[in-house]
Amino acid sequence: MSRLTDILEFNKDFVEGKQYEQFLTDKFPDKKIVILSCMDTRLFELLPKAMNLKNGDVKMVKSAGAIINHPFGGIMRSIVVAVYELQADEIYIIGHHDCGMAAVDSHSILDKMKARGIDEKTIEMLEYSGVDLHDWLQGFDNVSESVHHSVQMVKNHPLIDPKIPVHGLVIDPTTGALDLVVNGEKEITV
Ligand SMILES: [Zn+2]
């Protein structure tokens, strides 16, 4: 049985058995928080549990490494929508130790693309058009610095209300312990 078939069969039983009832809530975050964290598999359940968050409490945005690639890209847009449309009034950027993006090597990713059949000419053409693929795929050396950088990007974003606290934290993907990098409440300049 394929993974897709497996999921669809399970889903049918899930809906028919009304298992969704325990998750019923609405689109507004009860704790008025938006979190940007990493897509790491270990954080999937651990991060909400370690922060006492349940379904309906927060808006959750995820990206590889909790990195905001571009001030006007999809991640930043999600944060802006969470704040202005969905009533989030506090922002948390949460990186984690042992993050895959700390070890990412753009040369190795490009080599793997080529091995899978992506034409070298396509890569050259993108670079010729001004796309810096190495920059685009780049990770970070230090997770605290990366979180700090993302906090500054959000805090100084021209479309973010300066009265909104932007916190920076690093979570341990084994124990769930949180280290505070930036306390956004102390940084607010009104
Ligand atoms: Zn990660």
PDB file of all heavy atoms in Angstrom, residues 145-177:
ATOM      1  N   GLU A 145      22.834  33.319  16.663  1.00  0.00           N
ATOM      2  CA  GLU A 145      23.026  34.481  15.775  1.00  0.00           C
ATOM      3  C   GLU A 145      21.943  34.527  14.708  1.00  0.00           C
ATOM      4  O   GLU A 145      21.455  35.593  14.344  1.00  0.00           O
ATOM      5  CB  GLU A 145      24.398  34.408  15.092  1.00  0.00           C
ATOM      6  CG  GLU A 145      25.524  34.875  15.984  1.00  0.00           C
ATOM      7  CD  GLU A 145      26.893  34.632  15.335  1.00  0.00           C
ATOM      8  OE1 GLU A 145      26.959  34.462  14.099  1.00  0.00           O
ATOM      9  OE2 GLU A 145      27.878  34.593  16.094  1.00  0.00           O
ATOM     10  N   SER A 146      21.598  33.345  14.185  1.00  0.00           N
ATOM     11  CA  SER A 146      20.575  33.282  13.149  1.00  0.00           C
ATOM     12  C   SER A 146      19.217  33.747  13.687  1.00  0.00           C
ATOM     13  O   SER A 146      18.505  34.521  13.035  1.00  0.00           O
ATOM     14  CB  SER A 146      20.485  31.850  12.618  1.00  0.00           C
ATOM     15  OG  SER A 146      19.430  31.739  11.709  1.00  0.00           O
ATOM     16  N   VAL A 147      18.864  33.299  14.904  1.00  0.00           N
ATOM     17  CA  VAL A 147      17.599  33.718  15.531  1.00  0.00           C
ATOM     18  C   VAL A 147      17.620  35.229  15.760  1.00  0.00           C
ATOM     19  O   VAL A 147      16.650  35.936  15.472  1.00  0.00           O
ATOM     20  CB  VAL A 147      17.377  32.956  16.864  1.00  0.00           C
ATOM     21  CG1 VAL A 147      16.293  33.610  17.705  1.00  0.00           C
ATOM     22  CG2 VAL A 147      17.018  31.507  16.582  1.00  0.00           C
ATOM     23  N   HIS A 148      18.750  35.714  16.249  1.00  0.00           N
ATOM     24  CA  HIS A 148      18.901  37.145  16.497  1.00  0.00           C
ATOM     25  C   HIS A 148      18.693  37.939  15.211  1.00  0.00           C
ATOM     26  O   HIS A 148      17.995  38.959  15.186  1.00  0.00           O
ATOM     27  CB  HIS A 148      20.295  37.403  17.075  1.00  0.00           C
ATOM     28  CG  HIS A 148      20.369  38.672  17.855  1.00  0.00           C
ATOM     29  ND1 HIS A 148      20.676  39.878  17.266  1.00  0.00           N
ATOM     30  CD2 HIS A 148      20.138  38.924  19.167  1.00  0.00           C
ATOM     31  CE1 HIS A 148      20.645  40.820  18.195  1.00  0.00           C
ATOM     32  NE2 HIS A 148      20.320  40.278  19.342  1.00  0.00           N
ATOM     33  N   HIS A 149      19.277  37.441  14.134  1.00  0.00           N
ATOM     34  CA  HIS A 149      19.156  38.101  12.832  1.00  0.00           C
ATOM     35  C   HIS A 149      17.696  38.133  12.371  1.00  0.00           C
ATOM     36  O   HIS A 149      17.197  39.164  11.903  1.00  0.00           O
ATOM     37  CB  HIS A 149      20.040  37.369  11.814  1.00  0.00           C
ATOM     38  CG  HIS A 149      19.976  37.938  10.442  1.00  0.00           C
ATOM     39  ND1 HIS A 149      19.162  37.401   9.461  1.00  0.00           N
ATOM     40  CD2 HIS A 149      20.585  39.005   9.886  1.00  0.00           C
ATOM     41  CE1 HIS A 149      19.293  38.132   8.360  1.00  0.00           C
ATOM     42  NE2 HIS A 149      20.150  39.100   8.582  1.00  0.00           N
ATOM     43  N   SER A 150      16.993  36.999  12.532  1.00  0.00           N
ATOM     44  CA  SER A 150      15.574  36.942  12.128  1.00  0.00           C
ATOM     45  C   SER A 150      14.737  37.888  12.983  1.00  0.00           C
ATOM     46  O   SER A 150      13.821  38.545  12.475  1.00  0.00           O
ATOM     47  CB  SER A 150      15.026  35.516  12.259  1.00  0.00           C
ATOM     48  OG  SER A 150      15.673  34.659  11.354  1.00  0.00           O
ATOM     49  N   VAL A 151      15.028  37.937  14.288  1.00  0.00           N
ATOM     50  CA  VAL A 151      14.293  38.848  15.182  1.00  0.00           C
ATOM     51  C   VAL A 151      14.462  40.287  14.696  1.00  0.00           C
ATOM     52  O   VAL A 151      13.495  41.046  14.592  1.00  0.00           O
ATOM     53  CB  VAL A 151      14.777  38.703  16.643  1.00  0.00           C
ATOM     54  CG1 VAL A 151      14.266  39.858  17.504  1.00  0.00           C
ATOM     55  CG2 VAL A 151      14.321  37.371  17.225  1.00  0.00           C
ATOM     56  N   GLN A 152      15.703  40.646  14.369  1.00  0.00           N
ATOM     57  CA  GLN A 152      15.961  42.020  13.904  1.00  0.00           C
ATOM     58  C   GLN A 152      15.231  42.300  12.600  1.00  0.00           C
ATOM     59  O   GLN A 152      14.710  43.399  12.392  1.00  0.00           O
ATOM     60  CB  GLN A 152      17.474  42.251  13.720  1.00  0.00           C
ATOM     61  CG  GLN A 152      18.263  42.256  15.028  1.00  0.00           C
ATOM     62  CD  GLN A 152      17.699  43.217  16.069  1.00  0.00           C
ATOM     63  OE1 GLN A 152      17.362  44.356  15.770  1.00  0.00           O
ATOM     64  NE2 GLN A 152      17.547  42.750  17.303  1.00  0.00           N
ATOM     65  N   MET A 153      15.196  41.292  11.724  1.00  0.00           N
ATOM     66  CA  MET A 153      14.527  41.493  10.432  1.00  0.00           C
ATOM     67  C   MET A 153      13.034  41.766  10.637  1.00  0.00           C
ATOM     68  O   MET A 153      12.464  42.653  10.008  1.00  0.00           O
ATOM     69  CB  MET A 153      14.722  40.277   9.520  1.00  0.00           C
ATOM     70  CG  MET A 153      14.188  40.552   8.117  1.00  0.00           C
ATOM     71  SD  MET A 153      14.175  39.110   7.052  1.00  0.00           S
ATOM     72  CE  MET A 153      15.859  39.079   6.496  1.00  0.00           C
ATOM     73  N   VAL A 154      12.415  41.020  11.565  1.00  0.00           N
ATOM     74  CA  VAL A 154      10.979  41.216  11.819  1.00  0.00           C
ATOM     75  C   VAL A 154      10.748  42.532  12.551  1.00  0.00           C
ATOM     76  O   VAL A 154       9.870  43.329  12.197  1.00  0.00           O
ATOM     77  CB  VAL A 154      10.401  40.034  12.643  1.00  0.00           C
ATOM     78  CG1 VAL A 154       8.945  40.287  12.996  1.00  0.00           C
ATOM     79  CG2 VAL A 154      10.532  38.735  11.872  1.00  0.00           C
ATOM     80  N   LYS A 155      11.551  42.752  13.577  1.00  0.00           N
ATOM     81  CA  LYS A 155      11.406  43.953  14.405  1.00  0.00           C
ATOM     82  C   LYS A 155      11.565  45.239  13.587  1.00  0.00           C
ATOM     83  O   LYS A 155      10.853  46.212  13.798  1.00  0.00           O
ATOM     84  CB  LYS A 155      12.493  43.896  15.484  1.00  0.00           C
ATOM     85  CG  LYS A 155      12.213  44.694  16.715  1.00  0.00           C
ATOM     86  CD  LYS A 155      13.256  44.347  17.753  1.00  0.00           C
ATOM     87  CE  LYS A 155      14.047  45.565  18.197  1.00  0.00           C
ATOM     88  NZ  LYS A 155      13.241  46.651  18.715  1.00  0.00           N
ATOM     89  N   ASN A 156      12.505  45.217  12.656  1.00  0.00           N
ATOM     90  CA  ASN A 156      12.780  46.415  11.859  1.00  0.00           C
ATOM     91  C   ASN A 156      12.017  46.444  10.542  1.00  0.00           C
ATOM     92  O   ASN A 156      12.251  47.312   9.707  1.00  0.00           O
ATOM     93  CB  ASN A 156      14.288  46.520  11.573  1.00  0.00           C
ATOM     94  CG  ASN A 156      15.080  46.673  12.850  1.00  0.00           C
ATOM     95  OD1 ASN A 156      14.656  47.392  13.754  1.00  0.00           O
ATOM     96  ND2 ASN A 156      16.206  45.973  12.954  1.00  0.00           N
ATOM     97  N   HIS A 157      11.117  45.480  10.370  1.00  0.00           N
ATOM     98  CA  HIS A 157      10.372  45.439   9.108  1.00  0.00           C
ATOM     99  C   HIS A 157       9.447  46.657   9.024  1.00  0.00           C
ATOM    100  O   HIS A 157       8.748  46.984   9.989  1.00  0.00           O
ATOM    101  CB  HIS A 157       9.546  44.146   9.036  1.00  0.00           C
ATOM    102  CG  HIS A 157       9.079  43.824   7.662  1.00  0.00           C
ATOM    103  ND1 HIS A 157       7.999  44.452   7.083  1.00  0.00           N
ATOM    104  CD2 HIS A 157       9.561  42.972   6.724  1.00  0.00           C
ATOM    105  CE1 HIS A 157       7.832  43.980   5.855  1.00  0.00           C
ATOM    106  NE2 HIS A 157       8.775  43.078   5.619  1.00  0.00           N
ATOM    107  N   PRO A 158       9.433  47.339   7.871  1.00  0.00           N
ATOM    108  CA  PRO A 158       8.642  48.576   7.773  1.00  0.00           C
ATOM    109  C   PRO A 158       7.139  48.362   7.934  1.00  0.00           C
ATOM    110  O   PRO A 158       6.418  49.315   8.235  1.00  0.00           O
ATOM    111  CB  PRO A 158       8.974  49.097   6.364  1.00  0.00           C
ATOM    112  CG  PRO A 158       9.523  47.931   5.621  1.00  0.00           C
ATOM    113  CD  PRO A 158      10.197  47.071   6.646  1.00  0.00           C
ATOM    114  N   LEU A 159       6.658  47.115   7.776  1.00  0.00           N
ATOM    115  CA  LEU A 159       5.216  46.876   7.872  1.00  0.00           C
ATOM    116  C   LEU A 159       4.803  46.225   9.190  1.00  0.00           C
ATOM    117  O   LEU A 159       3.657  45.843   9.368  1.00  0.00           O
ATOM    118  CB  LEU A 159       4.751  46.007   6.690  1.00  0.00           C
ATOM    119  CG  LEU A 159       4.997  46.617   5.308  1.00  0.00           C
ATOM    120  CD1 LEU A 159       4.522  45.675   4.213  1.00  0.00           C
ATOM    121  CD2 LEU A 159       4.329  47.979   5.168  1.00  0.00           C
ATOM    122  N   ILE A 160       5.752  46.084  10.109  1.00  0.00           N
ATOM    123  CA  ILE A 160       5.408  45.487  11.411  1.00  0.00           C
ATOM    124  C   ILE A 160       5.272  46.602  12.461  1.00  0.00           C
ATOM    125  O   ILE A 160       6.154  47.454  12.592  1.00  0.00           O
ATOM    126  CB  ILE A 160       6.481  44.447  11.844  1.00  0.00           C
ATOM    127  CG1 ILE A 160       6.375  43.176  10.985  1.00  0.00           C
ATOM    128  CG2 ILE A 160       6.350  44.100  13.320  1.00  0.00           C
ATOM    129  CD1 ILE A 160       5.168  42.287  11.255  1.00  0.00           C
ATOM    130  N   ASP A 161       4.159  46.552  13.181  1.00  0.00           N
ATOM    131  CA  ASP A 161       3.895  47.513  14.254  1.00  0.00           C
ATOM    132  C   ASP A 161       5.027  47.436  15.288  1.00  0.00           C
ATOM    133  O   ASP A 161       5.243  46.369  15.870  1.00  0.00           O
ATOM    134  CB  ASP A 161       2.538  47.129  14.878  1.00  0.00           C
ATOM    135  CG  ASP A 161       2.162  48.002  16.053  1.00  0.00           C
ATOM    136  OD1 ASP A 161       2.980  48.840  16.472  1.00  0.00           O
ATOM    137  OD2 ASP A 161       1.033  47.834  16.546  1.00  0.00           O
ATOM    138  N   PRO A 162       5.757  48.534  15.518  1.00  0.00           N
ATOM    139  CA  PRO A 162       6.902  48.476  16.455  1.00  0.00           C
ATOM    140  C   PRO A 162       6.512  48.165  17.897  1.00  0.00           C
ATOM    141  O   PRO A 162       7.370  47.836  18.712  1.00  0.00           O
ATOM    142  CB  PRO A 162       7.537  49.862  16.341  1.00  0.00           C
ATOM    143  CG  PRO A 162       6.497  50.731  15.716  1.00  0.00           C
ATOM    144  CD  PRO A 162       5.592  49.859  14.916  1.00  0.00           C
ATOM    145  N   LYS A 163       5.213  48.220  18.227  1.00  0.00           N
ATOM    146  CA  LYS A 163       4.791  47.932  19.607  1.00  0.00           C
ATOM    147  C   LYS A 163       4.646  46.428  19.854  1.00  0.00           C
ATOM    148  O   LYS A 163       4.422  45.987  20.978  1.00  0.00           O
ATOM    149  CB  LYS A 163       3.454  48.627  19.901  1.00  0.00           C
ATOM    150  CG  LYS A 163       3.583  50.150  19.955  1.00  0.00           C
ATOM    151  CD  LYS A 163       2.326  50.829  20.466  1.00  0.00           C
ATOM    152  CE  LYS A 163       1.171  50.790  19.469  1.00  0.00           C
ATOM    153  NZ  LYS A 163       1.477  51.451  18.175  1.00  0.00           N
ATOM    154  N   ILE A 164       4.772  45.625  18.790  1.00  0.00           N
ATOM    155  CA  ILE A 164       4.627  44.173  18.946  1.00  0.00           C
ATOM    156  C   ILE A 164       5.952  43.545  19.395  1.00  0.00           C
ATOM    157  O   ILE A 164       6.974  43.722  18.736  1.00  0.00           O
ATOM    158  CB  ILE A 164       4.143  43.541  17.622  1.00  0.00           C
ATOM    159  CG1 ILE A 164       2.693  43.953  17.399  1.00  0.00           C
ATOM    160  CG2 ILE A 164       4.313  42.040  17.621  1.00  0.00           C
ATOM    161  CD1 ILE A 164       2.010  43.242  16.274  1.00  0.00           C
ATOM    162  N   PRO A 165       5.944  42.810  20.523  1.00  0.00           N
ATOM    163  CA  PRO A 165       7.187  42.160  20.950  1.00  0.00           C
ATOM    164  C   PRO A 165       7.606  41.050  19.984  1.00  0.00           C
ATOM    165  O   PRO A 165       6.769  40.260  19.539  1.00  0.00           O
ATOM    166  CB  PRO A 165       6.835  41.548  22.317  1.00  0.00           C
ATOM    167  CG  PRO A 165       5.515  42.093  22.695  1.00  0.00           C
ATOM    168  CD  PRO A 165       4.828  42.545  21.446  1.00  0.00           C
ATOM    169  N   VAL A 166       8.897  41.020  19.663  1.00  0.00           N
ATOM    170  CA  VAL A 166       9.454  39.945  18.825  1.00  0.00           C
ATOM    171  C   VAL A 166      10.506  39.227  19.670  1.00  0.00           C
ATOM    172  O   VAL A 166      11.570  39.771  19.951  1.00  0.00           O
ATOM    173  CB  VAL A 166      10.096  40.493  17.528  1.00  0.00           C
ATOM    174  CG1 VAL A 166      10.519  39.333  16.629  1.00  0.00           C
ATOM    175  CG2 VAL A 166       9.145  41.435  16.788  1.00  0.00           C
ATOM    176  N   HIS A 167      10.183  38.003  20.108  1.00  0.00           N
ATOM    177  CA  HIS A 167      11.083  37.244  20.971  1.00  0.00           C
ATOM    178  C   HIS A 167      11.929  36.274  20.127  1.00  0.00           C
ATOM    179  O   HIS A 167      11.466  35.783  19.097  1.00  0.00           O
ATOM    180  CB  HIS A 167      10.297  36.402  21.975  1.00  0.00           C
ATOM    181  CG  HIS A 167       9.302  37.186  22.773  1.00  0.00           C
ATOM    182  ND1 HIS A 167       9.668  38.151  23.670  1.00  0.00           N
ATOM    183  CD2 HIS A 167       7.943  37.146  22.792  1.00  0.00           C
ATOM    184  CE1 HIS A 167       8.578  38.669  24.221  1.00  0.00           C
ATOM    185  NE2 HIS A 167       7.523  38.079  23.702  1.00  0.00           N
ATOM    186  N   GLY A 168      13.116  35.986  20.600  1.00  0.00           N
ATOM    187  CA  GLY A 168      13.974  34.998  19.952  1.00  0.00           C
ATOM    188  C   GLY A 168      14.351  33.915  20.944  1.00  0.00           C
ATOM    189  O   GLY A 168      14.791  34.217  22.062  1.00  0.00           O
ATOM    190  N   LEU A 169      14.166  32.639  20.571  1.00  0.00           N
ATOM    191  CA  LEU A 169      14.505  31.528  21.468  1.00  0.00           C
ATOM    192  C   LEU A 169      15.170  30.400  20.686  1.00  0.00           C
ATOM    193  O   LEU A 169      15.045  30.317  19.458  1.00  0.00           O
ATOM    194  CB  LEU A 169      13.248  30.966  22.143  1.00  0.00           C
ATOM    195  CG  LEU A 169      12.473  31.954  23.018  1.00  0.00           C
ATOM    196  CD1 LEU A 169      11.218  32.414  22.317  1.00  0.00           C
ATOM    197  CD2 LEU A 169      12.122  31.343  24.355  1.00  0.00           C
ATOM    198  N   VAL A 170      15.869  29.547  21.427  1.00  0.00           N
ATOM    199  CA  VAL A 170      16.444  28.337  20.835  1.00  0.00           C
ATOM    200  C   VAL A 170      15.961  27.153  21.673  1.00  0.00           C
ATOM    201  O   VAL A 170      16.058  27.179  22.898  1.00  0.00           O
ATOM    202  CB  VAL A 170      17.992  28.389  20.830  1.00  0.00           C
ATOM    203  CG1 VAL A 170      18.560  27.072  20.299  1.00  0.00           C
ATOM    204  CG2 VAL A 170      18.499  29.544  19.968  1.00  0.00           C
ATOM    205  N   ILE A 171      15.405  26.141  20.994  1.00  0.00           N
ATOM    206  CA  ILE A 171      14.878  24.984  21.716  1.00  0.00           C
ATOM    207  C   ILE A 171      15.812  23.781  21.536  1.00  0.00           C
ATOM    208  O   ILE A 171      16.427  23.618  20.474  1.00  0.00           O
ATOM    209  CB  ILE A 171      13.429  24.649  21.251  1.00  0.00           C
ATOM    210  CG1 ILE A 171      12.759  23.620  22.165  1.00  0.00           C
ATOM    211  CG2 ILE A 171      13.384  24.193  19.798  1.00  0.00           C
ATOM    212  CD1 ILE A 171      11.248  23.493  21.958  1.00  0.00           C
ATOM    213  N   ASP A 172      15.903  22.982  22.601  1.00  0.00           N
ATOM    214  CA  ASP A 172      16.657  21.732  22.533  1.00  0.00           C
ATOM    215  C   ASP A 172      15.722  20.675  21.925  1.00  0.00           C
ATOM    216  O   ASP A 172      14.656  20.403  22.489  1.00  0.00           O
ATOM    217  CB  ASP A 172      17.075  21.330  23.957  1.00  0.00           C
ATOM    218  CG  ASP A 172      17.931  20.078  23.976  1.00  0.00           C
ATOM    219  OD1 ASP A 172      17.575  19.099  23.276  1.00  0.00           O
ATOM    220  OD2 ASP A 172      18.942  20.063  24.698  1.00  0.00           O
ATOM    221  N   PRO A 173      16.073  20.064  20.778  1.00  0.00           N
ATOM    222  CA  PRO A 173      15.157  19.143  20.113  1.00  0.00           C
ATOM    223  C   PRO A 173      14.996  17.802  20.818  1.00  0.00           C
ATOM    224  O   PRO A 173      14.185  16.976  20.408  1.00  0.00           O
ATOM    225  CB  PRO A 173      15.800  18.950  18.733  1.00  0.00           C
ATOM    226  CG  PRO A 173      17.252  19.159  18.961  1.00  0.00           C
ATOM    227  CD  PRO A 173      17.363  20.187  20.059  1.00  0.00           C
ATOM    228  N   THR A 174      15.757  17.584  21.901  1.00  0.00           N
ATOM    229  CA  THR A 174      15.599  16.353  22.680  1.00  0.00           C
ATOM    230  C   THR A 174      14.770  16.604  23.928  1.00  0.00           C
ATOM    231  O   THR A 174      13.785  15.909  24.184  1.00  0.00           O
ATOM    232  CB  THR A 174      16.979  15.784  23.097  1.00  0.00           C
ATOM    233  OG1 THR A 174      17.764  15.615  21.923  1.00  0.00           O
ATOM    234  CG2 THR A 174      16.834  14.462  23.816  1.00  0.00           C
ATOM    235  N   THR A 175      15.150  17.627  24.697  1.00  0.00           N
ATOM    236  CA  THR A 175      14.474  17.851  25.991  1.00  0.00           C
ATOM    237  C   THR A 175      13.361  18.883  25.902  1.00  0.00           C
ATOM    238  O   THR A 175      12.529  18.976  26.809  1.00  0.00           O
ATOM    239  CB  THR A 175      15.483  18.353  27.047  1.00  0.00           C
ATOM    240  OG1 THR A 175      15.951  19.655  26.640  1.00  0.00           O
ATOM    241  CG2 THR A 175      16.673  17.415  27.178  1.00  0.00           C
ATOM    242  N   GLY A 176      13.362  19.699  24.850  1.00  0.00           N
ATOM    243  CA  GLY A 176      12.364  20.766  24.742  1.00  0.00           C
ATOM    244  C   GLY A 176      12.734  22.008  25.543  1.00  0.00           C
ATOM    245  O   GLY A 176      11.952  22.962  25.596  1.00  0.00           O
ATOM    246  N   ALA A 177      13.928  22.012  26.172  1.00  0.00           N
ATOM    247  CA  ALA A 177      14.338  23.177  26.966  1.00  0.00           C
ATOM    248  C   ALA A 177      14.534  24.399  26.063  1.00  0.00           C
ATOM    249  O   ALA A 177      15.125  24.298  24.995  1.00  0.00           O
ATOM    250  CB  ALA A 177      15.644  22.866  27.699  1.00  0.00           C
TER     251      ALA A 177
END
